[in-house]
Amino acid sequence: MDVVNQMQRQFVDYSTSLHREGILDDQFTQLQKLQDENSPDFVVEVASLFFEDCEKLINNMARALEQQGVDFKQVDASVHQLKGSSSSIGAVQVKNVCIAFRSFCEAQNREGCLRCLQQVTHEYSLLKNKLQTLFRLEQQILAAGGSIPVIE
Amino acid sequence: MECNCIEPQWPPDDLLMKYQYISDFFIALAYFSIPLELIYFVKKSSVFPYRWVLVQFGAFIVLCGATHLINLWTFTPHTRTVASVMTIAKVLTALVSCVTALMLVHIIPDLLSVKTRELFLKNKAAELDREMGLIRTQEETGRHVRMLTHEIRSTLDRHTILRTTLIELGRTLSLEECALWMPTRTGLELQLSYTLRQQNPVGYTVPIHHPVINQVFSTNHAVKISPNCPVARLRPAGKYLPGEVVAVRVPLLHLSNFHINDWPELSTKRYALMVLMLPSDSARQWHVHELELVEAVTDQVAVALSHAAILEESMRARNLLMEQNVALDLARREAETAIRARNDFLAVMNHEMRTPMHAIITLSSLLQETELTPEQRLMVETILKSSNLLATLINDVLDLSRLEDGSLQLDLGTFNIYTVFREVLKLIKPIASVKKLHVSLSLAPDLPEYAVGDEKRLMQTILNVVGNAVKFSKEGSITITAFVAKPETLRDSRAPEFLPVPSDNHFYLRVQVKDSGCGVSPQDIPNLFTKFAQNQSTATRNSGGSGLGLAISKRFVNLMEGHIWIESEGLGKGCTAIFIVKLGIPERVNEYKLPYMPKMPTNHGHTAFPGLKVLVMDENGVSRTVTKELLMHLGCDVTTVGSSDECLQLVSHEHKVVFMDINVPGTDSHRITSRIHEKFAKRNERPLIVTLIGNTDKLTKENCMRIGMDGLIVKPVSLDKMKSVLSDLLEHRVLFEGI
């Protein structure tokens, strides 16, 4: 039982740190609240969806920005999608970058867009790592027979 | 002429003088040596009481000796000194002799008495020796007996006891042969069971009614018997005379011989015979103490044997009990298994039987609602009636089984008594009117309106009793009365063991159902409540029913701590069924005046909007998943679409709400909204259209209202927010969040 308590404390600490660093916001907590015995892997599923989406969109954006004649509308659409997804999952950093990205798209600033794309990629990788660590912690707790603590 | 020649000492003429001279010499010698001997021997011995006498005696003898010695000189002419010495000696001797003589008068009786005492003491010593010998022998015997007893009693095994007895006796008494003859089962013969020398004696038998044996059995002493007696012929005849043989009876005590208050009665008929033979070529004889030893040992053996017998008995009883225990345990487990199997069977049958029944009844009643021709209607009604009967039967059987093994418990609740009776009346009136029976109900005015009890089962009981009354009456009337039973009326002569005690929160309801039907003959009354037993008169054979009704009712009534019975004056005179049940008085009645309808819980997320069909349209996969989960969490039935075309395809009047997650408002949302409006002309058939939007401003809101949306929600949407939004939306049919 001590091991489980320790792991649970670790989980709570990690979660709180993610929130404090501004990587995740309240929306993520809402998602965690939606997870119950009817849909036990909801958060992981949504996260996987998000990662897939992200990668696809980032690739699209990268390809679009590589072109000679950049189709800013397309990039904007992708960014908009990304913004929507990230806000649904609560990835606030990504969302913020997307907001900036959109303004660059409107301004048709290629350099700015590329910079933002880089930033987005960076933020996304960071988020992915952090989330994967969090999910690993969850798995460990569940494997040891404990339950995931709810963070208010 | 005188001659001066020396005359010979001894005158040659007197030989006699010569002999006297020699004799005197020897006398003197003896007289001198006797005291010396005396002194010598007395000194040697330590016990000689009269030393003073010895001195005297010594003096006397010495002087006598001296006298005789001096006499020697008187044979020849002697001088005057010699004569005077002689005289002195003689005088002294005479003195001492007289004194001694006088002393002896005192001393000799003493000495004689000493002698007598010595003799007496010697006799005494001999006697004591004899007694000592006797005591030693007795003590020896006692020691042997104790040792033997210890050996014998140290085991509770019958065979060991007997073998040890023989061995120890043989050793103690140095017997040649020792044998034990036990009576056979028939009691007519004695069988050689144990011997000392032979390991496994062959079964010699001797008839028990031999005179010698009878003689031995008649006394509890050891009896010397002849070596030629059949019981004593154990050893092959030797060259010498066989040793003496003694036989003693060994009582075989049974348990019943031991009375608590009496000594054990030795009137038992069963004895064994113990035969002891002394070695054949010794001249030994049986001594008394040996016989006593044998008798004592025999008694001990009898006791030890009885102890062994008791132990055997108790072991046997214990083994028997253990076997019975095991058998009972097995039987119990089998019974439990059987009950479990039956319960499982019933549970399964319960479900299996009820499901189709339910289907039949439901569908039949639904069918009744449709348009039917009269014949069809009749058929459907028959089907319904039959299936209802069957359902009742199934319920009855299942209920009874549950009642039987005590697993049925009453569902207590507060209910209206008047309602129950009115329901019963409603149910029974149709059948009664068909049979042209008049049913009347009279409820006492002091009957409380509400009571606490099992409403369903009470109704079942009343219905059963009234139903029976209707069933068994061809004409006439049925009267149902119900009132509160008073303590005086509670005591019924037919049920002396039923002594109800009314208390403050309970009352006894008494219901009487009187009919004018065929009645019951008095000898059938006890069988009425037996299950499956029916009165086989012609009137009842067509009435159907399984005969379980009254049995079940009785069980219910018993569960309600009451009593049910039937009174009838005989066949054709109708009968009255009466039952009394214990009901509780509810505390606060007014709470239950209205049927209790629980309000829908609003804070339980899972069932907030159970089954509410909604359609979610969202192009973004992630947010679509999130919104879907949110709504599912609230209990909605969610369909998701990823494009507006799909949305328009799938939307139907079943969907109550359509959620649109529009990234850019104004384009597709306009189209979808207008199309939905077109599709569903009537306002109450159209689903509510709600859009989820990331940010909003007044313009957006106005736009949304303009294009015909019913609601707008700003993202992010939390669970609580969605819940309150939905409830507002469904209540007001419009929702526009304030900015």
Side-chain angles (χ1 to χ4, degrees):
Chain A
M1 262 350 260
D2 279 347
V3 179
V4 175
N5 283 344
Q6 206 179 0
M7 284 197 277
Q8 282 173 335
R9 251 204 314 275
Q10 217 178 351
F11 176 85
V12 170
D13 288 349
Y14 198 75
S15 263
T16 343
S17 72
L18 288 179
H19 278 78
R20 234 196 346 260
E21 288 164 19
I23 298 177
L24 293 174
D25 72 350
D26 205 35
Q27 178 64 13
F28 189 76
T29 318
Q30 289 292 325
L31 291 187
Q32 283 179 320
K33 275 201 203 158
L34 285 177
Q35 182 168 292
D36 63 348
E37 59 267 22
N38 292 331
S39 44
D41 295 328
F42 174 63
V43 181
V44 178
E45 282 169 9
V46 172
S48 319
L49 256 172
F50 171 66
F51 294 148
E52 276 176 46
D53 235 12
C54 252
E55 276 163 13
K56 201 171 55 173
L57 288 168
I58 287 173
N59 284 339
N60 284 350
M61 286 190 273
R63 244 181 294 123
L65 284 169
E66 272 172 16
Q67 308 283 350
Q68 282 299 342
V70 180
D71 187 356
F72 282 103
K73 275 218 165 35
Q74 196 190 356
V75 177
D76 188 34
S78 300
V79 174
H80 189 82
Q81 284 267 22
L82 190 60
K83 177 162 160 262
S85 302
S86 56
S87 61
S88 295
I89 202 174
V92 64
Q93 293 266 35
V94 178
K95 187 182 74 176
N96 291 339
V97 174
C98 285
I99 295 172
F101 204 151
R102 282 198 86 189
S103 51
F104 280 123
C105 281
E106 276 175 14
Q108 306 214 344
N109 183 342
R110 187 157 177 267
E111 297 301 323
C113 284
L114 280 168
R115 254 205 322 273
C116 274
L117 181 64
Q118 221 175 8
Q119 222 177 338
V120 157
T121 318
H122 169 74
E123 289 300 332
Y124 157 71
S125 320
L126 186 69
L127 176 71
K128 186 168 175 179
N129 279 341
K130 300 263 176 188
L131 277 181
Q132 278 174 342
T133 313
L134 193 72
F135 293 144
R136 234 200 332 273
L137 278 175
E138 273 188 16
Q139 288 298 326
Q140 280 175 348
I141 294 176
L142 286 173
S147 61
I148 314 293
V150 177
I151 304 148
E152 290 305 310
Chain B
M1 142 192 97
E2 278 193 8
C3 65
N4 286 337
C5 55
I6 300 166
E7 283 178 7
Q9 290 239 331
W10 297 285
D13 51 54
D14 206 355
L15 196 65
L16 284 164
M17 296 291 278
K18 201 163 86 174
Y19 280 126
Q20 270 193 357
Y21 187 82
I22 296 167
S23 308
D24 268 334
F25 176 71
F26 276 111
I27 288 170
L29 198 64
Y31 272 3
F32 281 136
S33 63
I34 285 173
L36 289 172
E37 284 171 15
L38 270 175
I39 288 167
Y40 174 72
F41 283 114
V42 166
K43 267 211 156 47
K44 272 274 178 164
S45 94
S46 51
V47 270
F48 196 82
Y50 298 106
R51 285 185 195 258
W52 167 245
V53 173
L54 192 67
V55 168
Q56 251 179 334
F57 214 64
F60 167 64
I61 286 189
V62 162
L63 284 171
C64 274
T67 313
H68 280 284
L69 191 66
I70 294 168
N71 221 13
L72 285 175
W73 271 270
T74 57
F75 282 111
T76 56
H78 49 278
T79 58
R80 218 184 146 79
T81 37
V82 172
S84 55
V85 166
M86 183 74 205
T87 315
I88 291 169
K90 274 207 170 141
V91 167
L92 277 174
T93 310
L95 207 66
V96 173
S97 317
C98 287
V99 168
T100 309
L102 282 170
M103 293 269 14
L104 279 176
V105 171
H106 295 289
I107 285 169
I108 286 177
D110 271 348
L111 281 175
L112 280 176
S113 79
V114 162
K115 259 318 193 191
T116 349
R117 227 178 293 153
E118 190 190 316
L119 198 65
F120 174 71
L121 281 171
K122 217 187 276 174
N123 284 342
K124 236 336 182 233
E127 203 179 298
L128 278 171
D129 262 338
R130 267 200 305 277
E131 272 181 25
M132 190 64 174
L134 219 71
I135 287 172
R136 217 178 279 132
T137 337
Q138 275 178 349
E139 200 249 332
E140 229 6 62
T141 311
R143 205 159 42 77
H144 278 128
V145 170
R146 271 196 301 279
M147 187 256 298
L148 270 163
T149 311
H150 175 74
E151 289 293 326
I152 290 166
R153 299 276 285 269
S154 66
T155 169
L156 282 171
D157 174 45
R158 181 193 288 257
H159 298 288
T160 320
I161 290 173
L162 293 169
R163 278 222 70 77
T164 316
T165 313
L166 296 181
I167 291 168
E168 291 299 323
L169 272 178
R171 206 156 49 85
T172 311
L173 299 171
S174 314
L175 300 172
E176 168 156 354
E177 179 62 89
C178 189
L180 189 71
W181 298 78
M182 302 279 276
T184 58
R185 207 159 277 283
T186 57
L188 296 173
E189 291 181 324
L190 284 177
Q191 187 177 31
L192 183 61
S193 312
Y194 303 91
T195 55
L196 186 59
R197 305 290 169 200
Q198 300 163 9
Q199 274 303 95
N200 293 314
V202 182
Y204 295 123
T205 51
V206 164
I208 209 168
H209 293 293
H210 198 276
V212 171
I213 297 175
N214 282 339
Q215 186 198 2
V216 175
F217 279 178
S218 62
T219 169
N220 62 348
H221 292 295
V223 175
K224 290 208 188 89
I225 62 174
S226 153
N228 293 325
C229 180
V231 293
R233 263 180 275 163
L234 302 163
R235 309 281 290 160
K239 279 196 274 191
Y240 300 97
L241 275 173
E244 289 200 342
V245 182
V246 145
V248 65
R249 72 175 189 190
V250 182
L252 297 173
L253 299 171
H254 293 287
L255 283 173
S256 54
N257 281 93
F258 284 96
H259 304 290
I260 311 291
N261 299 320
D262 316 347
W263 288 107
E265 300 288 328
L266 290 178
S267 57
T268 146
K269 295 291 191 304
R270 285 171 61 88
Y271 295 113
L273 191 74
M274 189 146 67
V275 174
L276 306 107
M277 282 174 60
L278 288 177
S280 49
D281 43 1
S282 74
R284 262 180 68 187
Q285 287 205 325
W286 282 101
H287 297 284
V288 171
H289 70 268
E290 288 170 341
L291 293 178
E292 284 172 359
L293 180 99
V294 168
E295 283 159 21
V297 167
T298 315
D299 282 338
Q300 291 302 317
V301 167
V303 171
L305 282 177
S306 67
H307 284 184
I310 291 172
L311 182 72
E312 274 178 35
E313 261 311 304
S314 76
M315 291 293 289
R316 214 165 42 80
R318 190 186 75 122
N319 285 341
L320 196 67
L321 276 171
M322 271 176 58
E323 277 174 32
Q324 280 179 346
N325 215 15
V326 168
L328 277 170
D329 204 34
L330 188 66
R332 182 181 61 89
R333 270 185 279 130
E334 279 178 8
E336 276 179 7
T337 319
I339 288 179
R340 259 202 305 273
R342 190 211 49 189
N343 285 346
D344 286 343
F345 170 75
L346 281 178
V348 166
M349 291 309 288
N350 187 3
H351 178 74
E352 298 301 323
M353 285 202 281
R354 284 195 174 149
T355 315
M357 278 315 306
H358 181 70
I360 296 172
I361 292 176
T362 316
L363 293 174
S364 313
S365 37
L366 279 178
L367 197 58
Q368 259 187 337
E369 305 287 320
T370 62
E371 299 255 358
L372 296 170
T373 69
E375 296 118 23
Q376 285 176 325
R377 189 161 290 278
L378 202 61
M379 285 191 244
V380 170
E381 275 176 7
T382 315
I383 293 172
L384 205 54
K385 229 184 348 179
S386 312
S387 32
N388 271 329
L389 272 170
L390 188 60
T392 316
L393 177 66
I394 291 170
N395 283 339
D396 276 356
V397 171
L398 290 165
D399 264 346
L400 190 64
S401 313
R402 272 200 301 148
L403 276 173
E404 298 230 276
D405 53 25
S407 57
L408 190 72
Q409 280 174 324
L410 296 174
D411 298 323
L412 296 175
T414 309
F415 61 94
N416 188 328
I417 299 184
Y418 288 76
T419 315
V420 167
F421 278 101
R422 275 196 286 270
E423 279 291 318
V424 170
L425 211 61
K426 234 189 338 189
L427 285 168
I428 212 77
K429 267 218 151 72
I431 309 175
S433 61
V434 162
K435 289 180 98 168
K436 303 227 181 352
L437 296 165
H438 179 251
V439 181
S440 69
L441 169 70
S442 94
L443 301 171
D446 65 346
L447 196 65
E449 198 179 339
Y450 290 92
V452 176
D454 190 336
E455 180 186 7
K456 184 166 82 95
R457 301 221 164 88
L458 179 66
M459 175 137 52
Q460 208 173 334
T461 311
I462 302 174
L463 201 56
N464 179 258
V465 168
V466 173
N468 275 349
V470 169
K471 194 160 48 156
F472 293 105
S473 304
K474 282 200 277 202
E475 60 191 2
S477 66
I478 315 255
T479 330
I480 310 170
T481 37
F483 51 92
V484 175
K486 299 290 179 300
E488 311 83 58
T489 61
L490 286 173
R491 258 159 265 282
D492 187 80
S493 56
R494 284 168 210 271
E497 68 275 3
F498 181 62
L499 293 168
V501 178
S503 65
D504 278 339
N505 26 356
H506 291 105
F507 71 97
Y508 284 88
L509 171 72
R510 183 178 164 122
V511 176
Q512 287 177 193
V513 178
K514 188 167 156 57
D515 70 56
S516 56
C518 57
V520 182
S521 63
Q523 60 254 37
D524 284 333
I525 288 184
N527 294 334
L528 283 170
F529 294 98
T530 326
K531 58 180 181 175
F532 304 121
Q534 280 215 78
N535 194 350
Q536 288 299 320
S537 68
T538 48
T540 64
R541 217 173 283 151
N542 308 328
S543 310
S546 60
L548 285 175
L550 276 178
I552 294 180
S553 304
K554 182 174 164 84
R555 291 260 162 53
F556 284 152
V557 167
N558 285 342
L559 270 176
M560 295 191 229
E561 297 178 52
H563 188 62
I564 180 170
W565 70 97
I566 294 204
E567 292 170 9
S568 173
E569 287 168 33
L571 285 167
K573 297 204 174 70
C575 75
T576 312
I578 309 170
F579 69 87
I580 302 179
V581 288
K582 185 174 175 184
L583 295 173
I585 301 173
E587 283 179 0
R588 276 157 359 150
V589 180
N590 43 5
E591 263 185 30
Y592 302 97
K593 275 229 178 337
L594 297 167
Y596 187 64
M597 283 293 282
K599 271 180 62 175
M600 289 290 274
T602 49
N603 53 358
H604 193 245
H606 283 272
T607 55
F609 308 100
L612 182 74
K613 265 181 108 67
V614 298
L615 185 67
V616 170
M617 199 217 83
D618 191 342
E619 288 169 12
N620 186 315
V622 176
S623 90
R624 189 171 60 235
T625 314
V626 174
T627 312
K628 175 180 174 182
E629 187 64 34
L630 198 63
L631 289 165
M632 272 171 63
H633 219 75
L634 293 173
C636 300
D637 184 2
V638 184
T639 321
T640 54
V641 289
S643 71
S644 32
D645 292 337
E646 279 180 75
C647 174
L648 288 168
Q649 269 178 351
L650 283 177
V651 75
S652 71
H653 73 276
E654 281 184 284
H655 296 110
K656 293 285 180 282
V657 188
V658 172
F659 289 95
M660 287 198 288
D661 194 334
I662 302 296
N663 293 328
V664 181
T667 47
D668 276 347
S669 54
H670 187 116
R671 187 166 67 94
I672 295 171
T673 316
S674 48
R675 286 296 292 280
I676 290 177
H677 273 272
E678 281 164 27
K679 195 167 176 183
F680 303 95
K682 286 196 258 193
R683 198 186 146 80
N684 51 356
E685 275 184 7
R686 178 176 62 79
L688 297 166
I689 306 169
V690 177
T691 182
L692 292 110
I693 203 149
N695 60 337
T696 183
D697 50 328
K698 199 166 172 204
L699 197 62
T700 320
K701 185 173 161 192
E702 279 170 6
N703 271 345
C704 288
M705 277 164 78
R706 198 165 41 81
I707 59 179
M709 293 201 181
D710 300 300
L712 183 146
I713 306 177
V714 181
K715 289 199 290 189
V717 190
S718 72
L719 193 64
D720 296 333
K721 183 163 161 180
M722 181 61 96
K723 206 188 325 171
S724 62
V725 155
L726 264 181
S727 54
D728 278 355
L729 189 69
L730 291 170
E731 206 176 346
H732 302 128
R733 301 200 70 84
V734 80
L735 170 87
F736 280 97
E737 264 189 71
I739 299 163

